[in-house]
Amino acid sequence: MGAHRASLVAVGETADHGRFAALVAPTFAAVRVRPLGDGTFRSAMSSAMAGDVRVSVLSGSPCVVTRGADLIRASDPAFLTVSLQRSGTSSVAQDGRRCLLGPGDLVNYVTSRPYEVTYWEPYEAVLVSVPVAALGSHADALAVRTAIAVGTDHGPRDVVGTLFAALATKIAGCTAGDASSSKEYLADAIVSLVLAELVDIAPPDAGAELVDRVRAHCLAHLSDPGLTVESAGRALGVSVRYLHKVLAPTGVTLSAWIRRQRLERIGRDLADESLRGRTVGAIAAGWGMPDTGHLSRALKAEFGMTASEIRRGGHWERGGPRTAAG
């Protein structure tokens, strides 16, 4: 890990979560990073500045990034961070809300208050951090709309998603310390676009917010074989009947969703060379499926490959394996 002085403000890769926390500090502020899962921890980040705006691309293996109250100082500069999830699933918690994000979703949070970002699977995200002071009279409006997922697949907000994706591809061409006026204009444009498209985010309805809370709870407890619809309802203080009601519009029952999430992670771990020393049974048990009698059939039905086929030649991507030739 180190700075690439010739072209980037920061670039690095590391297998150490403590060093990764230091690497992302300019974007996330002081944080703690906790790896998830048993595989090798991998992470990478590149970032560049446009005026006072920082654009960063993060990728890596599952982890939890936490900024607790004990890490926040009154003298810390306050930033609004807007994140575009490019791949993988994540959740963001701040101000008593928690939202779940998939590819193409935007979310914002502020560094001056505690927050938690959980990357549940291998991911890539583009983050744009803007000084709160640069938001002017809109700062308060955006600061109370934290941890609300916003899709970019339709409507005017797709412009934000397109811009963020384009910025990610241009980081390598940004020179550190370049004070050209074009960067200042770009910074102004980014701030203006963020204000124009995100300042009117509506709070999520109670049902949609509960769906995200339920799924985030289940993701955090996939390793518990006792995780069920009933246990999730008890943990969140809602009835199973109400859970079924709010989840009905998703078209997938919670039990089926939990099963799919477990199978995806079992398949991913089976394809992970760093876990070749672990048995199929141990991997499955680690994701809350201790009964492996029907595991290969379940994997075959879900992804088209048995456990042994995934372990022999599968290269895992989100949603399933691909063959080495694919």
Side-chain angles (χ1 to χ4, degrees), residues 24 26 77 109 116-117 135 147-148 162 165 169 174 187 190 194 211 229 231 278 281 288 308:
V24 302
Y109 51 91
E116 181 178 274
V117 181
L135 302 175
I148 299 174
T162 300
T169 66
C174 294
I190 293 171
V194 167
V211 169
V229 178
S231 71
R278 298 193 68 186
S308 59

Side-chain angles (χ1 to χ4, degrees), residues 169-196:
T169 66
K170 299 297 183 182
I171 284 182
C174 294
T175 55
D178 182 359
S180 66
S181 59
S182 62
K183 279 194 172 184
E184 298 297 331
Y185 291 135
L186 177 60
D188 290 343
I190 293 171
V191 173
S192 297
L193 190 59
V194 167
L195 290 174

Side-chain angles (χ1 to χ4, degrees), residues 99-113:
C99 67
L100 204 63
L101 297 98
D105 287 340
L106 285 167
V107 69
N108 65 269
Y109 51 91
V110 293
T111 62
S112 54
R113 300 196 295 274

Side-chain angles (χ1 to χ4, degrees), residues 87-145:
S87 65
T89 301
S90 70
S91 63
V92 173
Q94 189 168 57
D95 301 329
R97 288 184 295 274
R98 180 182 292 273
C99 67
L100 204 63
L101 297 98
D105 287 340
L106 285 167
V107 69
N108 65 269
Y109 51 91
V110 293
T111 62
S112 54
R113 300 196 295 274
Y115 65 81
E116 181 178 274
V117 181
T118 304
Y119 295 107
W120 297 106
E121 55 193 3
Y123 70 95
E124 182 179 84
V126 183
L127 294 88
V128 173
S129 296
V130 180
V132 169
L135 302 175
S137 60
H138 297 289
D140 291 339
L142 279 171
V144 298
R145 290 172 168 82

Side-chain angles (χ1 to χ4, degrees), residues 96-311:
R97 288 184 295 274
R98 180 182 292 273
C99 67
L100 204 63
L101 297 98
D105 287 340
L106 285 167
V107 69
N108 65 269
Y109 51 91
V110 293
T111 62
S112 54
R113 300 196 295 274
Y115 65 81
E116 181 178 274
V117 181
T118 304
Y119 295 107
W120 297 106
E121 55 193 3
Y123 70 95
E124 182 179 84
V126 183
L127 294 88
V128 173
S129 296
V130 180
V132 169
L135 302 175
S137 60
H138 297 289
D140 291 339
L142 279 171
V144 298
R145 290 172 168 82
T146 57
I148 299 174
V150 179
T152 60
D153 54 349
H154 64 278
R157 289 194 181 97
D158 64 356
V159 176
V160 181
T162 300
L163 173 64
F164 278 31
L167 289 171
T169 66
K170 299 297 183 182
I171 284 182
C174 294
T175 55
D178 182 359
S180 66
S181 59
S182 62
K183 279 194 172 184
E184 298 297 331
Y185 291 135
L186 177 60
D188 290 343
I190 293 171
V191 173
S192 297
L193 190 59
V194 167
L195 290 174
E197 302 300 343
L198 300 183
V199 75
D200 61 345
I201 294 174
D205 63 67
E209 185 175 13
L210 180 58
V211 169
D212 280 0
R213 287 173 55 212
V214 169
R215 288 183 168 178
H217 169 83
C218 291
L219 287 172
H221 294 84
L222 284 179
S223 62
D224 179 3
L227 173 66
T228 62
V229 178
E230 291 77 15
S231 71
R234 286 195 300 271
L236 295 169
V238 296
S239 69
V240 171
R241 183 178 179 181
Y242 186 59
L243 271 186
H244 287 313
K245 178 181 177 180
V246 298
L247 287 161
T250 69
V252 180
T253 66
L254 184 58
S255 57
W257 187 86
I258 291 171
R259 180 176 179 274
R260 168 80 185 198
Q261 298 302 313
R262 282 174 164 157
L263 289 175
E264 282 195 356
R265 284 153 180 78
I266 291 169
R268 186 187 72 209
D269 285 357
L270 288 172
D272 189 337
E273 292 189 1
S274 71
L275 296 176
R276 288 297 167 92
R278 298 193 68 186
T279 66
V280 172
I283 287 175
W287 290 112
M289 296 184 73
D291 182 2
T292 60
H294 303 293
L295 179 63
S296 280
R297 264 185 288 171
L299 289 168
K300 182 78 170 181
E302 200 78 37
F303 306 118
M305 296 179 74
T306 65
S308 59
E309 288 170 340
I310 293 172
R311 175 149 270 184

